[in-house]
Amino acid sequence: KCDTTLTFTSPRKRLTITKLGLSFSILIIFLTSYFSYDKKFGGSYLPLQLFNKNELDNPDTRVPIEILKDNYLYALESENLASNWTEKYCSEPMLAGTNYDMVKWAASKFEEYNFDVEIDDYYVYLSFPNNHSLSLFEEHKKKNTTTMELIYNAPLKEDILDEEGGDADNLVPTFLGYAASGLVESEYIFANYGTMSDFQKLVDSKIDIKGKVFIIRYGKIFRGLKVKFAQDFGAKGVILYSDPLDDLDVTNENGYKSYPLGPARQSSSVQRGSVQFLSIFPGDPTTPGYGSKKPNIPRSDPYYTTPRIPVLPISYKEITPILQKLNGHGSNLFEIDNSKNKGIKDFSYQIGPNPSLKLELFNDQAFNITPIWNIYAKIKGEIEDEVITVSYTHLRAHETRRHL
């Protein structure tokens, strides 16, 4: 996916800085709508820089905020090019620390719009996917012999959708940043959202949860906290998935089409991201409190804020046959009503474990010190003695042509 976040501060500032990626397409629209009237609202274009500061501060001559809002929204509706730029960025994979050619391309686009551009590099500790697998085995006992039969092997892949022109050759494997490499095999349990209260319920119910693989749904708290709590409560590994119960009834069953034809979740979609323990501190796990500006600076143990156990993300389509095998085992401790199949189809949301089943979870990642880049693009405003306005976005693309 292309993943972007954008934040604006107050518009009436002397200098505007935008950082990396799609910001410039959105920022240009923002500046156009702020500095000009549109014909839709009568008259010709009237750039705000034609007014001096006294006129802007005078309520009788200042452009009404309602007109600015309407003009901005109209610009988005009529000539919104943000999706064009998003498609460009998602035309090839861009994990952090890769695809410097796209960084240079983005910087060149800023320069075309007469921004002052700077590329600022850092050298940070990152993980990259090598390989992974998730297999479900069923135990069979005959006399004095015990055998394990493979009954399900999760593909751990998102579907390539014809409607969006996806490219299977450029697909980045589903993974979670900073999840530990490792191979574990054990019984598994359903741990709801993986909040502290959820784990406390499991402990209070006298269930032996240590040494299990925990299956946890996204929601309520940050994914890194889910993994931290699971590790603290003795998990061998963690699987994170998106549950249709959390989609506010925007599902196929309620008549909504799936992405990209509609707003419903695509059943094979997977939420990627970092599982760093951000509640301890964010940023490079090896440089707490100082910037990673050089490759050979002193570095700390990364495991203070990163997991020691393997973690995999998975789609609800692929987790379904695994969770269904918990039916009839353990209680519905979290009192989840799935009688209308709004969640995982035909899953009772019992916590397990099923003593005849074991999950084998394998995660292999490469951990490197690698360069990443910020693009700073500056444009000088017309109002003196004001502070900086910052428009910021971060961007990553995990597969081609699948974008916001």
Side-chain angles (χ1 to χ4, degrees), residues 216-231:
I216 299 172
R217 58 173 167 156
Y218 281 116
K220 300 291 185 183
I221 60 174
F222 174 62
R223 71 181 83 85
L225 273 181
K226 298 173 186 285
V227 176
K228 183 183 186 305
F229 292 157
Q231 180 175 284

Side-chain angles (χ1 to χ4, degrees), residues 369-397:
I369 304 298
T370 188
I372 61 172
W373 309 276
N374 296 326
I375 302 173
Y376 301 112
K378 305 176 184 179
I379 187 169
K380 189 174 182 180
E382 294 296 325
I383 304 174
E384 300 295 331
D385 302 323
E386 297 279 357
V387 295
I388 293 172
T389 296
V390 177
S391 168
Y392 168 88
T393 184
H394 77 277
L395 173 69
R396 60 178 180 264

Side-chain angles (χ1 to χ4, degrees), residues 157-377:
K157 292 182 179 180
E158 291 177 299
D159 295 342
I160 301 299
L161 306 178
D162 294 336
E163 297 88 347
E164 64 175 10
D167 183 356
D169 294 333
N170 284 323
L171 185 67
V172 175
T174 55
F175 82 109
L176 292 166
Y178 297 126
S181 295
L183 172 66
V184 298
E185 181 180 340
S186 77
E187 296 177 349
Y188 60 96
I189 62 170
F190 171 68
N192 202 25
Y193 290 111
T195 64
M196 182 61 76
S197 61
D198 286 336
F199 284 118
Q200 197 58 55
K201 282 185 178 180
L202 287 166
V203 171
D204 292 345
S205 65
K206 309 300 182 184
I207 298 170
D208 181 13
I209 62 175
K210 290 186 177 180
K212 305 288 196 299
V213 171
F214 295 173
I215 299 178
I216 299 172
R217 58 173 167 156
Y218 281 116
K220 300 291 185 183
I221 60 174
F222 174 62
R223 71 181 83 85
L225 273 181
K226 298 173 186 285
V227 176
K228 183 183 186 305
F229 292 157
Q231 180 175 284
D232 292 346
F233 279 92
K236 265 191 174 182
V238 175
I239 301 169
L240 298 177
Y241 79 99
S242 299
D243 197 304
L245 276 177
D246 297 305
D247 289 344
L248 300 177
D249 292 333
V250 183
T251 61
N252 298 147
E253 289 72 18
N254 287 327
Y256 294 96
K257 293 183 178 181
S258 295
Y259 170 89
L261 302 179
R265 185 187 302 277
Q266 217 282 331
S267 63
S268 72
S269 65
V270 177
Q271 182 187 138
R272 298 167 173 85
S274 165
V275 286
Q276 184 180 3
F277 306 155
L278 296 181
S279 57
I280 299 177
F281 66 78
D284 187 336
T286 66
T287 58
Y290 56 99
S292 306
K293 284 298 295 177
K294 297 180 180 179
N296 297 320
I297 58 176
R299 295 183 181 270
S300 304
D301 183 352
Y303 289 114
Y304 185 58
T305 60
T306 61
R308 296 178 180 270
I309 58 176
V311 189
L312 291 178
I314 194 171
S315 67
Y316 79 78
K317 180 173 75 172
E318 292 187 3
I319 198 65
T320 293
I322 296 173
L323 288 175
Q324 287 173 340
K325 289 291 186 179
L326 294 181
N327 289 346
H329 299 275
S331 66
N332 188 341
L333 180 65
F334 304 108
E335 300 178 348
I336 299 171
D337 180 12
N338 195 34
S339 58
K340 297 182 180 180
N341 260 333
K342 290 185 177 182
I344 298 297
K345 186 177 181 181
D346 299 328
F347 174 43
S348 63
Y349 286 84
Q350 291 173 260
I351 59 175
N354 183 335
S356 66
L357 298 178
K358 288 188 177 181
L359 270 178
E360 182 185 87
L361 186 162
F362 172 63
N363 184 49
D364 179 27
Q365 296 193 33
F367 294 82
N368 302 317
I369 304 298
T370 188
I372 61 172
W373 309 276
N374 296 326
I375 302 173
Y376 301 112

